[in-house]
Amino acid sequence: MSKPHSTVEISIVIPLYNESGNIARLAEEIVKALPPKEVDYELLLVDDGSVDDTWSVIEEACNSTPHIQGIRLSRNFGHQNALLAGLSKARGKAVISMDGDMQHPPSYLPELIELWRQGNKVVSTKRTRTEHLGKFKTKTSEWFYKVFSWLSGVQIEEGSSDFRLIDRQVLTELLRFNDVNPFLRGAVKWLGFDKHTACLEYQVGQRHEGESSYNLKRMLNFANSAIVSFSTKPLLLGIWLGLATSAIAFTELIYIIVLWSLGETVPGWASTVGIIALLFGVLFILLGVIGLYLSRIHTALQQRPKFVIGNITEAIEPVEGSKTKQPEELTS
Ligand code: UDP
Ligand code: MG
């Protein structure tokens, strides 16, 4: 029987794609870190359309352990969407997301929860030692966060991942996002709550079994969707390119005209090249202007909240005898 919303304190959401060899170990380590008799939590295992027997292992785990719940997606929707599916079903007052391959070690869970109990609404993590990650992954991830932060204005630290805890208030806001390609790291950062954010440093673990599903193609797709979701700067590139081209072409044309008035000519096709370059510049600017409008449409379609309320003080009691008038009283 599932408990009603408020009675589960913590939800742990884990997306799984072909992780049948890791689930038993993962569940065991989580129980070791968080004994169910001491901490009130549910474990949501999301099977993201695995092609191995991940689902039957999840079902087994659910039958033997009451605090585990399985969610099976109808096909592979990708890490971020699988995570979102689990988050949408979570009932806890705080929700933890982590990977299912032991790279996010369950031994850090008590610390994450403690930082939340101290009043933090977001507890993010930062990996310190990366020897289990490989040089290529560490470097590309470093570059990605730099480019992403510059293009989007949303500062994400290197070493970030989807190993984090968020309070229900943050989750409620996060679920209002309507991005075509969710990028949860960016979305949580975008929501703010910086004054109520703690960061826990951890040592990334070694993948227990199987191999990473993020090959180069998937990594590029991931980076591409994250940037497109959070930045409209590339759409405006045309304006800057156009302004630069036009300025150079214009200067060149002035130079030719001045020389011509002095009775000299620049050899070659100087005036033709100048005019073509100027026209190209104008074309780029117009493309950029189209991008400007397109960026508005893109942002509007995402329907993100226009603001997010962090705290609100107690309502001020009306002074005796000075009851605030209701709109209908004002009009009558
Ligand atoms: N994952 C998923 N759907 C996918 C790919 C990955 O749910 O399409 C899960 C995977 O099972 C793991 C987490 O997302 O729990 C991170 O994936 P992985 O370990 O392959 O990525 P890496 O750690 O190499 O970035
Ligand atoms: Mg991994």
Side-chain angles (χ1 to χ4, degrees), residues 96-148:
I96 295 171
S97 53
M98 62 194 285
D99 286 358
D101 56 1
M102 303 293 293
Q103 288 200 283
H104 298 157
S107 53
Y108 289 94
L109 292 175
E111 273 179 86
L112 278 181
I113 296 171
E114 186 46 39
L115 286 165
W116 169 64
R117 289 198 175 126
Q118 286 172 10
N120 291 297
K121 292 181 176 171
V122 176
V123 186
S124 60
T125 62
K126 181 179 161 72
R127 52 178 177 245
T128 47
R129 280 165 52 196
T130 53
E131 60 260 32
H132 293 316
L133 211 62
K135 266 216 171 88
F136 179 70
K137 196 130 199 172
T138 313
K139 269 283 153 223
T140 46
S141 136
E142 207 180 296
W143 293 334
F144 165 68
Y145 286 126
K146 280 207 176 100
V147 174
F148 177 87

Side-chain angles (χ1 to χ4, degrees), residues 1-16:
M1 260 303 276
S2 50
K3 291 179 177 182
H5 220 228
S6 56
T7 55
V8 184
E9 195 179 22
I10 313 280
S11 298
I12 302 174
V13 176
I14 307 185
L16 300 159

Side-chain angles (χ1 to χ4, degrees), residues 15-17 19 48 76 78-79 82 99-101 103 137 207 212-214 218:
L16 300 159
Y17 181 63
E19 304 280 15
D48 184 18
N76 179 247
H79 177 202
D99 286 358
D101 56 1
Q103 288 200 283
K137 196 130 199 172
R207 178 172 253 282
S212 167
S213 32
Y214 274 98
R218 271 198 160 199

Side-chain angles (χ1 to χ4, degrees), residues 185-219:
R185 262 158 261 185
V188 170
K189 188 72 194 159
W190 184 95
L191 281 171
F193 296 103
D194 289 356
K195 289 220 163 68
H196 294 102
T197 297
C199 184
L200 178 73
E201 295 200 340
Y202 77 103
Q203 291 178 15
V204 68
Q206 192 158 22
R207 178 172 253 282
H208 178 54
E209 276 203 16
E211 51 187 53
S212 167
S213 32
Y214 274 98
N215 52 25
L216 184 63
K217 189 173 161 225
R218 271 198 160 199
M219 276 161 72

